[in-house]
Amino acid sequence: MHRILPFALLLFTYLALSTSAGLLNLVLGSLIAMGILWLLRPRRLAANWRRLPSAFLSLGRYVTTLANNVIRSGIHISALVLHPDLPLKSGIIAVPPECDSELGRALGAHAISLPPGELFIEMDDDGTMYIHSLDVIETQRSVQSGQARRCQLMKQMFD
């Protein structure tokens, strides 16, 4: 019973991508969906319904934080590029890991690459991220505090 929703979502996705709802396409989509479910074998996870409102609130704060970072960084980079002297202080900085989980580190790397002027380059085995920035001083200041805030919100969402 817990496989009906994933099956329906996979079948709907296949039909939406194929743009044809003929009988043969429906059978083929059903076979593909069943094959994917057989390979992945999704497990049913117990949901903690009491935590759901706080998780959604944390998700909203996370998205708001990302949007705020993108807007502030966009304004800052625009001011740098439009300045007549072009006062770029580009370089690569190392950011120590704030999150313990792999998901937290991956989302942190994505959040760092999202604003203009910053580019995620690499992550070490211990989780240290290397970032190229057009303004190293501003990036060091904002990334450390932003990374800690994002990690705190991710813990509230996923733990």
Side-chain angles (χ1 to χ4, degrees):
M1 184 69 181
H2 69 278
R3 292 185 179 209
I4 292 175
L5 182 62
F7 174 79
L9 290 173
L10 287 169
L11 180 61
F12 176 75
T13 303
Y14 175 80
L15 292 174
L17 291 174
S18 67
T19 66
S20 173
L23 181 62
L24 184 61
N25 208 19
L26 189 64
V27 170
L28 182 62
S30 297
L31 290 173
I32 290 173
M34 284 190 292
I36 290 172
L37 288 175
W38 180 76
L39 288 173
L40 295 180
R41 294 187 182 109
R43 286 179 257 140
R44 189 171 195 167
L45 299 175
N48 188 353
W49 296 104
R50 286 185 221 145
R51 285 198 53 252
L52 196 59
S54 67
F56 275 126
L57 185 63
S58 297
L59 177 65
R61 287 180 185 157
Y62 182 80
V63 170
T64 304
T65 302
L66 284 180
N68 185 22
N69 289 346
V70 168
I71 291 169
R72 284 185 327 149
S73 183
I75 292 169
H76 179 71
I77 294 300
S78 298
L80 282 176
V81 171
L82 294 175
H83 194 278
D85 297 334
L86 201 62
L88 298 177
K89 298 172 208 99
S90 63
I92 297 174
I93 61 171
V95 178
E98 293 287 333
C99 294
D100 298 330
S101 70
E102 243 181 79
L103 177 64
R105 290 178 188 165
L107 288 175
H110 175 263
I112 288 171
S113 290
L114 205 54
E118 298 170 1
L119 179 66
F120 173 79
I121 298 173
E122 184 179 7
M123 185 182 304
D124 280 350
D125 292 335
D126 66 344
T128 302
M129 292 181 264
Y130 296 96
I131 303 164
H132 181 271
S133 173
L134 292 179
D135 188 357
V136 175
I137 297 166
E138 176 67 23
T139 300
Q140 275 186 323
R141 185 186 63 76
S142 66
V143 165
Q144 295 291 2
S145 62
Q147 193 71 348
R149 173 81 175 136
R150 287 188 296 267
C151 186
Q152 175 191 15
L153 288 171
M154 283 186 273
K155 282 182 182 176
Q156 290 173 358
M157 282 188 289
F158 298 118
D159 287 342

